[in-house]
Amino acid sequence: MCGIVGYVGPRPAWPIVLQGLQRLEYRGYDSAGVAIQDAKGHLHYRRAVGKVTGLAPANSEDFPQGSVGLGHTRWATHGRPSEANAHPHTDCQGRVAVVHNGIVENFMELKAQLLERGHRFTSETDTEVIAHLLEERLDRGASFVQAFQELGGILRGSQAVAAILRDTRQICAMRLGHAGGVVAAYRDGEAIVGSDLPALMPLLKQGGQTVEVGFLESGEMVVVDSKGMAYQDLSGHPLQKELRPVSPEEVLIDKGGYRHFMLKEIMQQPEAVASALRGRVDFQRGRVVLRELPLSLREIRSLRRVLLLGCGTSLHAAQVGRHLIERLAGIPAESESASEFRYRRSFVDPHTLVVAIGQSGETADTVAAMQEARDHGGRLVAICNVEGSQATRVAEGTLHMRCGAEIGVASSKTFIASLVILNLLAVYLGQVRGELGEEQAATEVDNLARLPNLLGQVLSDVTPYPRLAQKLDSFHNLLFLGRGINAPIASEGALKLKEISYIHAEGYPAGEMKHGPIALIDRRLATVALAPKDSLYDKMVNNIKEVKARDGMVLAVASEGDQELASQVDEVIYIPQASERLTPLLATLPLQLLAYHVAVRRGCDVDQPRNLAKSVTVE
Ligand code: AGP
């Protein structure tokens, strides 16, 4: 969840590390810190509560001078956000600087032993034990690399660690388990180590061409200095790491003139759909062509079950996917939270297709659930937006979202891209299994082809949202209702509002309302009702009437031209008429825009809401 950046080379390290940390703030931003090694080899620390900008502006002249640096942006696990708990952490002699992403599961035990041996601690973090463990090994005469390597046999849990040592122009970084990514790159006398590709931007900008990067697997470490990168395992055996070329475009991030990344990403959704469809649809023949799916036609025909996994927004995508697979492919399907799946008996077998959904591909719960499913012989496919991420490496094959980087912590375009890919997958499975006739498949393909245009229509007039947001802002509690394939969209609308505006909201299948939540309804509760003209429309209208009969305020998302519904509710937002399979995508956009405008009105940090992180790499 935290972001790590290390630099060694000829340039001042401070601005480079700071820029890298700012690019990694999507991973956590409750405190930040940097250690710089000066020309004499001494380490200087700056740490602050809050975002990276709290450390000092990157262009200020007032920064520690030195060309080796290590920084961290934190998402607190052990110890509240405070300056003392901000990384880097050091040992009793201030000799090593350590940054860390993940959890040292045996830190209590290690800390007790270290205290007994006379070590003094200055923070509440688990990370600090790492600095003291290094100190002990250095005191016994171990080299920096040996001391660091030995950590691999001591630390339990999934994590990434990086360290620098006084008087040594090297950065050591290691990955244990699957929670914390580490990537390293070297070019012309300078090297950067980071949690993720955006940290490497300073190396890419310089040349404007691609740079070769290496991703660490669990149990691997890298030592970088101004001569290059050396990869090894935790026994010290050198590794021939396969490097991947990365272009500046792959990591370039800007707001494109929008006030927030989230708004930019919402507006990019028609493009995201087009990109997700590209090369996967034969429009002339009206067929879906999914070459990336790693299953033969025979294997697809022998599938008995599809299990869709994800967390948060990706879980909502999985829930929509379940409806699509059942309806279009005729295969029994289930969706489940990846964080719960691992703790049940799973009954996955080689006739089960497991579809793991995640924008980051680094969500610890999802990756762990994938491993569990794979261990049981399930056929494993990822739907993911980050190439080379953990999920893509665990899966047999990946259906890439191809959205470009999503920086807003609240997922928007990646959700829409997941839904498009799930539609494609369902149609493809239906085609192969003979569940969908040629004509029906062609109709589905035709509908998907119209989608970018339909989403563009929804986004073409956003003028009502500030007024609607003002109205919703006066409520402390909201209920989002939907039925059938739109029930997960109600949950998604509630999640968006909660996470960026901090207003309490619940998403509920509308049919469940009468089994409890109806007791909440009065004039102080607002209801957002998803009521497109689909097969469940009449039932949704009944639910809306039940809310109105109890003085609840109702904002409906309805199909264009539905004047009758408009006359029964307080507010209405129209979406274009479309196939039932596409209404979840169309209905999502107004809910994202509502959440966005409510959050802006309330002065919330839309792109980096409190307590959250873009990649949740802890379990
Ligand atoms: C969505 O807005 C949230 N940021 C969160 O629920 C997210 O979807 C979840 O943490 C899963 O992330 P993933 O898609 O990267 O696996």
Side-chain angles (χ1 to χ4, degrees), residues 10-261:
R11 292 191 272 168
W14 173 264
I16 292 175
V17 172
L18 245 65
Q19 277 169 31
L21 291 179
Q22 278 172 327
R23 290 178 183 279
L24 293 183
E25 272 189 326
Y26 67 89
R27 304 175 68 93
Y29 36 78
D30 60 42
S31 55
V34 175
I36 298 288
Q37 189 185 106
D38 68 18
K40 291 188 182 143
H42 298 150
L43 297 181
H44 301 266
Y45 294 86
R46 290 264 176 94
R47 298 188 294 187
V49 175
K51 294 192 181 183
V52 175
T53 45
L55 289 170
N59 56 4
S60 159
E61 291 304 308
D62 172 33
F63 56 75
Q65 300 293 327
S67 54
V68 181
L70 187 65
H72 187 266
T73 176
R74 181 168 185 248
W75 185 85
T77 56
H78 291 58
R80 72 205 152 83
S82 69
E83 199 175 316
N85 288 336
H87 302 208
H89 289 286
T90 191
D91 58 312
C92 298
Q93 304 164 54
R95 219 176 354 167
V96 289
V98 175
V99 293
H100 177 230
N101 170 25
I103 296 173
V104 182
E105 286 176 2
N106 52 337
F107 105 97
M108 296 287 278
E109 183 190 326
L110 292 170
K111 188 168 176 174
Q113 293 163 0
L114 286 159
L115 283 168
E116 230 169 74
R117 295 198 289 267
H119 290 261
R120 295 180 318 278
F121 284 77
T122 57
S123 77
E124 304 155 296
T125 65
D126 51 342
T127 306
E128 198 181 344
V129 299
I130 303 174
H132 292 275
L133 290 168
L134 284 172
E135 179 182 26
E136 286 192 336
R137 278 148 189 82
L138 292 165
D139 282 346
R140 278 188 224 136
S143 70
F144 180 33
V145 174
Q146 277 166 351
F148 192 81
Q149 176 187 311
E150 283 181 28
L151 294 174
I154 304 168
L155 305 176
R156 284 212 303 270
S158 284
Q159 55 213 297
V161 188
I164 55 175
L165 173 65
R166 190 165 67 196
D167 298 324
T168 311
R169 292 180 56 81
Q170 277 178 328
I171 303 169
C172 290
M174 121 182 350
R175 180 174 193 180
L176 299 172
H178 299 289
V182 178
V183 59
Y186 173 83
R187 165 186 269 164
D188 302 335
E190 54 185 352
I192 296 184
V193 174
S195 300
D196 203 352
L197 288 177
L200 308 181
M201 200 59 201
L203 284 191
L204 285 146
K205 256 189 186 160
Q206 212 192 9
Q209 320 135 344
T210 58
V211 68
E212 304 262 280
V213 307
F215 292 88
L216 292 192
E217 297 294 337
S218 175
E220 293 182 354
M221 62 177 268
V222 64
V223 182
V224 302
D225 58 24
S226 46
K227 294 199 204 77
M229 315 188 266
Y231 292 86
Q232 61 164 79
D233 65 18
L234 300 179
S235 314
H237 299 122
L239 295 170
Q240 288 307 317
K241 179 78 24 207
E242 201 179 312
L243 301 179
R244 181 162 86 78
V246 168
S247 67
E249 292 68 45
E250 241 178 287
V251 293
L252 199 64
I253 293 159
D254 76 90
K255 288 193 191 135
Y258 290 100
R259 185 168 163 198
H260 296 100
F261 281 112

Side-chain angles (χ1 to χ4, degrees), residues 311-314 357-360 363 409-411 495-496 499 614 616:
C311 292
T313 290
S314 295
I357 304 164
Q359 72 77 27
S360 62
T363 299
V409 163
S411 301
L495 177 65
K496 285 285 92 84
E499 68 179 333
K614 187 72 179 162
V616 183

Side-chain angles (χ1 to χ4, degrees), residues 572-614:
V572 65
I573 302 173
Y574 287 117
I575 56 172
Q577 289 267 14
S579 131
E580 190 152 337
R581 250 88 64 200
L582 301 188
T583 52
L585 292 106
L586 294 164
T588 296
L589 270 53
L591 305 189
Q592 294 170 342
L593 285 163
L594 277 175
Y596 173 79
H597 285 280
V598 173
V600 169
R601 266 192 67 78
R602 293 165 71 91
C604 299
D605 190 341
V606 172
D607 285 330
Q608 295 180 331
R610 69 187 181 202
N611 304 338
L612 292 174
K614 187 72 179 162

